[in-house]
Amino acid sequence: MQRQEQAPLWEALLAHVRAGYTAFHVPGHKGGRGAPPELGAAWGWSLLEFDLTELPGLDNLHAPAGAIRAAQELAAELYGADACFFLVGGTTAGLIASVLAATRPGMRIILPRHAHRSLLAAVILGDLEPVFYPVYVDREWLLPGGWDEEAAEALIRRVRGAGAVVLVHPTYHGLVGRARELTAAAHAASLTVIADEAHGPHFYLHPDLPPGALTLGADLAAQSVHKLLGSLTQSSWLHLAGGRVAEAQVEEVLRWLESSSPSYLLLASLDLARRQAALTGQGAWGRTLELAARVRAEIGRLTGITCLDASSWPGVTAQDPCKLTLKVSDLGLTGVEAADYLRQAHGIQVEMADLCTILVILTPADGEETAERLLAALSALVRERRGAKGRVWSLPELPPPVQRLRPREAAFAPKVSVPWQAARGRVAARALVPYPPGVPLLWPGEEITPEVLEVAEAYRHAGVELQGVTYGEDREPLLVVVEE
Ligand SMILES: Cc1ncc(COP(=O)(O)O)c(C=O)c1O
């Protein structure tokens, strides 16, 4: 048997369940017998038999020496990494662990402005000072793409006391910037490169997908296996390469962050998703790429819906063809309205929607039938909106942030909630995050500018959830600021 045909953790779990032990251990439902009956009825009782945590023969996620270690080694081998850590706290846990392992409190960290909110958590926990490099935001699509390479590299050379540079590779919408060049600049300055590769675990599986961050030199790459490959929600992994960060340090930090009772449903699903990716990934993603090309071509025939081609965007070097970002504002709709229509009228749920776009993700789970359903619904949307006047968004560009306090200081400072307009000029105590995609418009410690308020207001009015906003008794939106 080839090494990648093995699934050591899955095999160990299967052997344990088949052995039929009488359980005097947690979880308290003991194989489903004590679980709420609805769970077994809906999920199947056998699923609950596999809901186990650390037991003899099943290894220990926090000091792996058996089946988990073997499974992690196979994942590292597949991705060309030196080590791999299975995660039960999503890529969120992987990014926080990466940052804490690569820095010390009081250091700086160099980040793109479109960093996910998990990096904000890492900065707060690690008591770091963020230094942002500018990212281009397309004014028509209102989406981030590549970054200003010169400015980013100059910052890397100039900033003193930094521990790491973060890359978003790719963005939520599948766009890839000049990661190789940024990585080289960071390494020349002796900085660790952490890749947020939440949306890129499939990049390594097919040559027509963008290059993976590890192949471009990243030291740490956290990937949401659950987002693009076949594992269960919340299961991710973190790869380590390059020798700049010690494996033991990452393992130590993960012990601080993750449960001491990790779910073996999640862990075993990672082992099997790795095997599936290794054995069938190239063919499966090849078919998905063909399907995506066909769907993209069909959408190109619809008047009023445009599928993003970011090849001419500054700083964008590649795009994941399986992420279809569709601009619907020419139909006179917000993305949120188009997504509502698709859900209510056609039973189609998209991945995300914002001011002018919806995002559709294709994976090997899709095929002709789901593609046809999507295309039929989009055609119906175009027919419904025939003759509608297009909508043009003119939002202000966000000026470079003015950081008045470190994020940690602001996050732990006494706070008050104030009405929207009264927040102008105050210091944010909480991040303001349109969700999805989970990229903060404002970090704690930053001055609240009129431009941020205007952009946030546009998201709120369009029906995008804005995390960080609280509501007064009369449902008036309030912003949480540092008490003066
Ligand atoms: C760019 C990006 N990074 C990190 C994450 C966090 O990933 P997870 O949900 O696996 O914790 C997300 C989640 O949406 C994301 O979009």
Side-chain angles (χ1 to χ4, degrees), residues 89-92 95 116 118 168 170 172 196 198-199 224 226-227 236 435 437:
T91 293
T92 298
L95 289 172
H116 183 257
S118 51
V168 178
Y172 204 134
D196 173 354
H199 295 275
S224 295
H226 67 95
K227 287 191 195 294
S236 287
Y435 198 86

